[in-house]
């Protein structure tokens, strides 16, 4: 992978970490362990994701998150807990992907990766906060399952074609901004009525 592809991969994985950090970590580590992803020498820091302990922990957390995300009140609590964890995880994933020899790229990747993960997490949490208030449980499960499918699909695309995944990630960042602003307007309307 060249520099542009590595930046695209870093952007995509950090954005996806804002939705499903544990799934992204598990799938990336498993893909490396099984030899589906051949890392260049400069990405040796990512080898830690293929460690059996990391795979077990990330897999267990991804499994817990899969089920917790389907129950409205648990999902809201889980998103609150992960408000600090997902952006940090996205920043660290992005940092591990860029050139370790250049401190400027490291700082930029850490800040942009954390920002992208925070933005996508905020968009997800805002959307889910609105969906979780509906009295029926089906909408929450449908949205959660859609997030699972989108994360897995975009992660596979990021591995196969990082540039295309980065373009989709950019669209998702813009959608996240729109969702955050929409949620903010909705909260203002509700508060003004009361």
């Amino acid at each position: 992978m060249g520099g542009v592809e590595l930046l695209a991969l870093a952007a995509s994985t950090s954005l996806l970490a804002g939705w499903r950090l544990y799934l992204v970590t598990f799938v990336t580590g498993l893909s490396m362990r099984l030899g589906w992803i051949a890392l260049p020498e400069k990405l040796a820091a990512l080898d830690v994701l293929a460690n059996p302990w990391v795979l077990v922990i990330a897999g267990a957390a991804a499994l817990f998150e899969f089920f917790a995300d389907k129950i409205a009140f648990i999902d809201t609590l889980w998103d609150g807990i992960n408000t600090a964890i997902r952006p940090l995880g996205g920043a660290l994933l992005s940092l591990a992907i860029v050139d370790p020899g250049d401190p400027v790229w490291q700082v930029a990747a850490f800040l942009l990766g954390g920002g992208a993960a925070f933005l996508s997490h905020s968009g997800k949490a805002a959307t889910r906060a609105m969906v979780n208030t509906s009295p029926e449980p089906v909408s929450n499960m449908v949205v959660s399952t859609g997030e699972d499918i989108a994360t897995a699909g975009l992660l596979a695309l990021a591995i196969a074609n990082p540039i295309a995944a980065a373009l989709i990630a950019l669209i998702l960042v813009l959608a996240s901004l729109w969702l955050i602003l929409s949620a903010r307007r909705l909260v203002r309307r509700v508060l003004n009525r009361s």
Side-chain angles (χ1 to χ4, degrees), residues 19-192:
W19 284 353
R20 297 282 193 266
L21 173 63
Y22 310 106
L23 180 63
V24 170
T25 303
F26 177 74
V27 170
T28 304
L30 185 64
S31 297
M32 291 166 46
R33 184 113 178 134
L34 297 175
W36 298 343
I37 300 176
L39 293 176
E41 190 66 33
K42 66 172 136 183
L43 294 182
L46 283 176
D47 281 343
V48 71
L49 299 180
N51 180 292
W53 285 104
V54 173
L55 287 172
V56 168
I57 293 168
L63 189 63
F64 176 81
E65 183 171 57
F66 177 80
F67 290 109
D69 212 44
K70 308 296 186 268
I71 303 167
F73 72 93
I74 294 175
D75 172 60
T76 303
L77 179 65
W78 186 249
D79 279 344
I81 292 168
N82 280 281
T83 297
I85 298 168
R86 288 179 185 148
L88 181 58
L92 291 173
L93 279 171
S94 182
L95 180 62
I97 291 171
V98 300
D99 183 6
D102 188 352
V104 173
W105 279 109
Q106 289 178 331
V107 171
F110 186 80
L111 293 174
L112 293 174
F118 181 73
L119 187 61
S120 65
H121 169 72
S122 298
K124 173 200 181 302
T127 301
R128 296 304 292 279
M130 290 187 288
V131 171
N132 289 344
T133 60
S134 68
E136 43 75 35
V138 176
S139 61
N140 185 52
M141 287 186 230
V142 168
V143 171
S144 175
T145 303
E147 289 171 358
D148 294 332
I149 293 168
T151 301
L154 281 172
L155 186 56
L157 181 62
I159 292 167
N161 188 342
I163 302 294
L167 292 174
I168 293 172
L170 177 62
I171 292 168
L172 291 174
V173 164
L174 295 175
S176 292
L177 283 171
W178 179 80
L179 288 169
I180 292 166
L181 294 174
S182 296
R184 184 175 160 212
R185 283 192 296 269
L186 178 68
V187 167
R188 274 193 188 157
R189 276 187 278 183
V190 169
L191 291 176
N192 286 338

